[in-house]
Amino acid sequence: MATKKNNFEEQLTELQKIVANLENGNVPLEDALKEFQAGVKLSRDLNQKLTAAEETVAKLIDSDGTEHQLDPNNAAAPEE
């Protein structure tokens, strides 16, 4: 049984197809504009998901459940 890709991967694949199609240059202007708009929306959605993932990864959770944000310039020292 095939596993379903997560939504992020599907969106990234769709964005890559749009970019390749637009780079090919054989798309009528109206279709190119629609694909461009869809690509911009996908890009924004993907950027939001990456930002959320970065924020999740940047948290350090102590054994008592206390969360600390990691300083991106000094990952060894959690922010107080």
Side-chain angles (χ1 to χ4, degrees):
M1 181 177 181
T3 57
K4 184 177 178 182
K5 289 182 181 179
N6 73 30
N7 199 23
F8 180 86
E9 291 172 341
E10 290 174 351
Q11 286 182 306
L12 182 58
T13 299
E14 187 176 339
L15 180 59
Q16 290 170 331
K17 287 179 185 176
I18 289 171
V19 170
N21 201 24
L22 291 175
E23 287 179 342
N24 186 12
N26 293 329
V27 181
L29 180 60
E30 288 184 16
D31 292 341
L33 287 173
K34 289 178 184 175
E35 287 196 29
F36 178 78
Q37 289 173 336
V40 168
K41 182 180 182 320
L42 280 170
S43 177
R44 288 181 182 155
D45 289 347
L46 290 167
N47 189 40
Q48 287 176 346
K49 288 178 180 179
L50 283 174
T51 300
E54 286 174 352
E55 289 172 1
T56 299
V57 170
K59 289 180 183 174
L60 177 67
I61 301 174
D62 287 341
S63 59
D64 65 355
T66 305
E67 290 184 5
H68 301 275
Q69 287 284 42
L70 293 177
D71 179 357
N73 297 320
N74 184 7
E79 294 177 356
E80 294 296 324

